[in-house]
Amino acid sequence: MSSSEPSVTHAVLVKVGPADLAAEIYAGRHTYLVDEPASVGGNDRGPTPYDLLLSALGACTAITLRLYASQKNWPLEGIEVRLHHRRVHRLDCEKCELPGEMLEEVQKELRLLGPLSEEQRKRLHLISEKCPVQKTLTSGSLRVVTELLT
């Protein structure tokens, strides 16, 4: 590998069998199950793929805030991040049903626990938007390259 090629340090393997929608996920030494609700043909044996996406964003946000507050020795006693995903109209328009007129939106609610000053709370709010997962999702430069293996 040349020095200009990126290295792959961690891979996730996802396996789905011939009959149901449940996906077995192997991430390093961790294994978990992802499924769809019964209403769309799954067996509801695990979180949905969007649940995992929101979980990744929420966990990254909370960890980023914990690291920042700890570094500053701020009295942040706990962090709660609640997330919702939905599709919204790009504009309030007559053509909203046309392709490209809908946008994906994630609403992120933060609850910062502890005797923080208003200034600390505002700073943590700003820092919450700088977590690496959020930066990746909102950068506009995420590229997914798919290779078909035999």
Side-chain angles (χ1 to χ4, degrees), residues 50-149:
Y50 272 104
D51 291 340
L52 286 184
L53 180 68
L54 295 178
S55 297
L57 177 58
C60 184
T61 298
I63 290 167
T64 299
L65 292 175
R66 166 53 56 221
L67 288 169
Y68 187 86
S70 294
Q71 185 179 58
K72 297 287 189 181
N73 291 318
W74 288 357
L76 179 60
E77 296 172 356
I79 305 147
E80 295 176 7
V81 184
R82 181 181 310 265
L83 300 115
H84 304 274
H85 169 258
R86 65 185 183 147
R87 296 186 75 212
V88 296
H89 294 295
R90 188 177 299 275
L91 300 169
D92 188 18
C93 64
E94 295 174 15
K95 301 176 186 176
C96 288
E97 300 307 315
L98 296 176
E101 294 302 324
M102 296 296 287
L103 283 215
E104 303 292 329
E105 179 180 274
V106 173
Q107 293 182 323
K108 184 166 70 166
E109 300 168 355
L110 296 177
R111 177 163 287 134
L112 305 174
L113 308 171
L116 297 161
S117 70
E118 192 57 34
E119 184 178 308
Q120 289 170 329
R121 293 176 61 76
K122 286 179 183 176
R123 182 68 184 152
L124 288 169
H125 179 239
L126 287 173
I127 295 299
S128 77
E129 298 190 349
K130 298 181 185 306
C131 86
V133 170
Q134 183 162 335
K135 288 166 75 173
T136 297
L137 291 172
T138 60
S139 71
S141 62
L142 176 64
R143 180 173 66 171
V144 177
V145 178
T146 304
E147 178 182 351
L148 181 59
L149 304 176

Side-chain angles (χ1 to χ4, degrees), residues 19-37:
D20 68 33
L21 301 178
E24 293 178 55
I25 303 194
Y26 304 90
R29 58 188 179 91
H30 306 283
T31 303
Y32 47 98
L33 192 68
V34 174
D35 203 352
E36 291 288 350

